[in-house]
Amino acid sequence: MCGIVGYIGKRNAVDVMLQGLSKLEYRGYDSSGIAIVQGSEVLVNKAEGKLVNLQNKIEDLHLESSIGIGHTRWATHGRPSDYNAHPHTSQNGKFAVVHNGIVENYLRLKETYLADEVFTSETDTEVVAHLLEKFYNGSFEETVVKVLDVLEGAYALVMICADESDKIIACRKDSPMVLGIGDGESFIASDVPALLAYTRECMYIEQGELCVLTQDGITIKNHALEVIDKEVHTIEWDAEAAEKDGYEHFMLKEIFEQPTVFKKTIAGRIHGGEVQFDFDLSAEQVNSWNKIYIVACGTAYHAGLVGKAVIEKLARIPVEVEIASEFRYREPMLDEHTLVIVISQSGETADTVAALREAKKNGCKVMAVTNVVGSAIARESDYVIYIWAGPEISVASTKAYTTMLIAEYLLGVYLAQQKGMDNGALRAEILEGLQHLPDIAETMLTDAYLEQIQKAAEGYKDANDIFFIGRGLDWAIALEGSLKLKEISYIHAEAYAAGELKHGTLALVTDETPVIAICVQDATYDKIASNIKEVKAREANVLAIINEGDEETQKFVDETIAIPRIHNFVAPVLAVIPLQLISYYTAKVRGCEIDQPRNLAKSVTVE
Ligand code: AGP
């Protein structure tokens, strides 16, 4: 979603903004723009399309300023275009605004306060710039407060005023932003990668806070404009972690990082055969939960499906997995006996944040499984399990998914252990499997393996529809494999519980619908084998993901890709890796833009 960078200080703000925005490209966008103050004027430049269009446009202008705000826009109101791109300015050109989120009452605000004004865009954001001019009383700060009082919706807003060019003002409601503290300079951005080249000292902005950035530092104020003390955090990510590091795409790099990050997810969490987290749950507390909801979106939702199986099997607590955008609108039955687990790589997904708040409002304890320290979801949850995947830049999630699974295995073991369940032997086997995972995953990523998958992907180049089938945990993986494929290769893909095919979908299976079958789980092997034979009988070409040494399946499918043998319960972590690679190479052979697929954003901060 939209990316924001603001800078005030000793450097040329234009350079800082362009560099910062380039680090936010992964969030997904369709146009970009910057505003600086020169003399008593705000100067704005914008361009539709990639950031390079903006760079080319301003190249010969040799712009310089000590203050500026920049933006990459992901269209919500009004199509992608130069005129809808941010920053937007007030009618007198004195104020400029960049915005992430949606001002829900913008039409009403236009009618009530700005009926006579001329607007130059179709956006909701432009009303904010016009309101700043309308309400201006000689104090930029007081004016911003007045504007905020009439805004409804979600926003991260960063604003400048030509008449008070010694400051940038920023505020947020439900949309993320982080402040960077420099020496004689201050930064603001919607995400950490934009700051990494300049500073590691940061502050997170809470709802309703007003941030005033000057060359001399950052002051945080409340609604009454009283100064608030704020904790300074150190960003742990290294700058290299957010670079491609020789890989052609972030997605491939992140797939390859998996063995390393698996170690980080597990590190320090297994002691003497027991799992420990940063929080401590008593048996009484765990036993008080008679139900668990796992709530998430997209890939994180798919991780939740594995989590359900893991927690139910190990801790014997019933688990329901819900799509976050549906959860709060159907009045779920929640009370203090329900634990709600929210899963989110970014920790900022608007639907998941909303679900979390709904759960808290109903007296539930909330546990977060997330990657981003200091994110809204981490801050607002009672218990947090970090997946420690490091920055995930590719829109298509890979290492975050597999580390979410590992976190869930650890959680399943932990809940069972705290409840004092008598399945110690199974828990020990799972922990052993988890500890072997990093090394085993490492052995998979050989050149020969990649070549084999690349060849299979070439066969999908012209496919219109691909089916993924599996049973039990293999079905959960199939769902993730199909999402990954459609997301980056734009091939229509569907995942089915294999036993369900014959209840309708089998009608679609022909020699033109390749099928990818995941057959790793021993308990359902005979069943999936029959289902594969059903699609083979309809002449579908079948690629099977199998366990190493499975000679049987090779006899009745067209092709196989093997994963190393590991405890069946933990196998989804390995089984999804070839699916990630199939998506990657299929997208590549089709010439798709892998890291930033069309229409999608990394962090979905609008509902
Ligand atoms: C996965 O490849 C997607 N890009 C998407 O489904 C993502 O998982 C979803 O938007 C949830 O994001 P989150 O984990 O940051 O909440």
Side-chain angles (χ1 to χ4, degrees):
M1 298 251 127
C2 306
I4 289 177
V5 177
Y7 175 78
I8 183 163
K10 54 201 176 190
R11 303 172 205 248
N12 183 3
V14 176
D15 298 338
V16 177
M17 287 188 290
L18 292 177
Q19 204 272 352
L21 290 176
S22 75
K23 299 294 171 202
L24 299 180
E25 284 190 285
Y26 75 94
R27 293 168 67 88
Y29 71 105
D30 44 55
S31 54
S32 60
I34 54 167
I36 55 172
V37 180
Q38 278 194 336
S40 58
E41 300 292 318
V42 169
L43 202 69
V44 177
N45 279 281
K46 326 195 231 193
E48 188 186 338
K50 290 290 171 197
L51 191 58
V52 68
N53 298 351
L54 176 67
Q55 278 161 331
N56 292 339
K57 192 169 179 178
I58 63 173
E59 200 175 10
D60 297 332
L61 302 178
H62 305 293
L63 298 173
E64 277 201 38
S65 179
S66 59
I67 176 170
I69 55 176
H71 191 263
T72 45
R73 173 175 186 255
W74 187 83
T76 57
H77 291 62
R79 65 177 193 83
S81 64
D82 281 14
Y83 62 88
N84 283 330
H86 299 209
H88 290 288
T89 48
S90 54
Q91 208 165 240
N92 65 3
K94 292 282 184 191
F95 294 91
V97 177
V98 292
H99 169 217
N100 180 7
I102 296 174
V103 177
E104 283 165 4
N105 60 339
Y106 79 107
L107 288 174
R108 241 187 357 263
L109 290 171
K110 271 189 183 179
E111 276 167 26
T112 313
Y113 299 104
L114 308 164
D116 301 331
E117 307 221 352
V118 178
F119 288 84
T120 56
S121 78
E122 299 152 349
T123 66
D124 50 329
T125 306
E126 197 181 350
V127 295
V128 179
H130 283 237
L131 286 172
L132 285 168
E133 177 187 338
K134 189 94 186 167
F135 293 176
Y136 190 55
N137 63 357
S139 160
F140 190 14
E141 288 178 31
E142 285 175 19
T143 305
V144 170
V145 173
K146 279 198 211 158
V147 171
L148 295 184
D149 283 345
V150 298
L151 294 189
E152 286 169 20
Y155 48 79
L157 285 168
V158 182
M159 297 154 278
I160 52 174
C161 169
D163 292 340
E164 298 188 38
S165 62
D166 58 341
K167 61 179 74 115
I168 295 174
I169 298 187
C171 52
R172 67 172 279 256
K173 180 169 167 266
D174 293 341
S175 288
M177 267 195 307
V178 57
L179 294 159
I181 305 163
D183 182 11
E185 54 187 353
S186 303
F187 306 81
I188 185 158
S190 36
D191 209 349
V192 164
L195 304 179
L196 287 175
Y198 307 104
T199 180
R200 291 310 168 92
E201 304 290 289
C202 76
M203 291 190 286
Y204 297 104
I205 312 174
E206 296 300 333
Q207 306 276 45
E209 291 176 348
L210 197 87
C211 313
V212 184
L213 289 79
T214 68
Q215 295 209 357
D216 303 324
I218 301 172
T219 314
I220 316 285
K221 298 186 176 180
N222 61 16
H223 187 265
L225 294 178
E226 295 155 346
V227 175
I228 305 171
D229 274 344
K230 210 66 191 162
E231 197 184 339
V232 175
H233 298 263
T234 304
I235 302 166
E236 303 289 347
W237 295 357
D238 36 349
E240 299 75 54
E243 300 295 339
K244 276 193 207 145
D245 199 19
Y247 286 91
E248 197 176 342
H249 297 99
F250 278 111
M251 184 179 177
L252 191 62
K253 176 186 177 230
E254 288 159 8
I255 291 172
F256 269 79
E257 279 174 346
Q258 291 180 108
T260 311
V261 294
F262 291 175
K263 283 188 196 143
K264 293 187 181 164
T265 314
I266 298 164
R269 285 176 165 162
I270 303 175
H271 298 276
E274 299 227 315
V275 172
Q276 283 176 10
F277 290 116
D278 294 338
F279 50 83
D280 198 13
L281 297 177
S282 64
E284 196 192 355
Q285 173 73 85
V286 178
N287 281 318
S288 76
W289 292 320
N290 54 26
K291 182 174 187 179
I292 294 178
Y293 276 108
I294 299 182
V295 188
C297 303
T299 284
Y301 168 78
H302 292 157
L305 296 174
V306 176
K308 171 183 167 71
V310 169
I311 294 170
E312 287 188 344
K313 170 122 183 146
L314 288 167
R316 305 306 293 161
I317 306 172
V319 181
E320 282 191 41
V321 191
E322 296 252 356
I323 293 170
S325 55
E326 293 293 321
F327 181 70
R328 80 178 167 136
Y329 294 106
R330 62 164 200 82
E331 295 181 37
M333 291 187 289
L334 303 169
D335 58 27
E336 72 275 21
H337 299 297
T338 315
L339 170 68
V340 173
I341 301 176
V342 286
I343 308 182
S344 172
Q345 186 284 130
S346 61
E348 299 288 354
T349 299
D351 286 318
T352 314
V353 174
L356 178 160
R357 290 183 186 150
E358 180 71 16
K360 294 220 76 161
K361 206 169 77 194
N362 284 281
C364 306
K365 290 279 186 210
V366 176
M367 181 180 287
V369 175
T370 186
N371 195 26
V372 180
V373 177
S375 58
I377 283 175
R379 289 199 307 269
E380 294 183 34
S381 297
D382 299 288
Y383 318 106
V384 184
I385 302 176
Y386 287 110
I387 56 177
W388 300 125
E392 192 180 64
I393 306 292
S394 164
V395 166
S397 182
T398 53
K399 61 177 179 169
Y401 173 74
T402 42
T403 50
M404 282 169 188
L405 299 195
I406 294 174
E408 289 173 331
Y409 288 112
L410 291 168
L411 177 62
V413 170
Y414 177 79
L415 292 175
Q417 151 202 311
Q418 299 306 94
K419 278 181 86 173
M421 311 254 321
D422 62 359
N423 52 7
L426 175 61
R427 298 199 312 255
E429 282 172 27
I430 288 167
L431 293 185
E432 200 192 328
L434 287 180
Q435 282 165 310
H436 286 137
L437 260 179
D439 291 341
I440 295 179
E442 187 87 57
T443 64
M444 290 171 70
L445 296 167
T446 61
D447 288 349
Y449 201 66
L450 297 188
E451 268 165 40
Q452 189 198 358
I453 293 176
Q454 218 164 330
K455 233 174 96 208
E458 267 156 32
Y460 298 136
K461 186 168 179 263
D462 301 315
N464 289 320
D465 309 280
I466 298 184
F467 289 111
F468 287 72
I469 59 171
R471 302 187 73 125
L473 286 173
D474 287 343
W475 173 39
I477 297 304
L479 284 161
E480 175 58 7
S482 89
L483 175 66
K484 214 89 307 175
L485 187 75
K486 58 190 143 196
E487 185 175 21
I488 59 166
S489 76
Y490 313 146
I491 296 175
H492 171 244
E494 295 298 335
Y496 281 92
E500 186 66 10
L501 274 183
K502 55 186 168 296
H503 299 290
T505 312
L506 198 56
L508 295 176
V509 175
T510 67
D511 58 351
E512 289 185 2
T513 50
V515 172
I516 298 178
I518 298 93
C519 8
V520 168
Q521 295 296 318
D522 296 332
T524 47
Y525 178 78
D526 291 343
K527 302 292 171 202
I528 183 84
S530 302
N531 300 139
I532 292 174
K533 286 169 190 162
E534 287 159 11
V535 296
K536 278 301 310 165
R538 274 82 191 171
E539 295 183 8
N541 175 285
V542 178
L543 163 68
I545 308 296
I546 57 166
N547 286 309
E548 228 159 53
D550 169 3
E551 286 170 12
E552 185 54 31
T553 311
Q554 297 181 31
K555 292 179 192 156
F556 56 86
V557 300
D558 299 280
E559 207 177 329
T560 56
I561 295 174
I563 63 161
R565 264 264 171 215
I566 193 162
H567 193 288
N568 239 226
F569 208 48
V570 190
V573 182
L574 296 184
V576 80
I577 293 175
L579 302 185
Q580 296 168 342
L581 287 164
I582 287 171
S583 303
Y584 174 79
Y585 285 117
T586 306
K588 194 170 165 201
V589 74
R590 285 165 65 88
C592 300
E593 204 169 326
I594 294 177
D595 285 333
Q596 292 162 36
R598 71 182 177 210
N599 305 341
L600 299 181
K602 182 65 181 164
S603 182
V604 185
T605 50
V606 292
E607 280 189 59

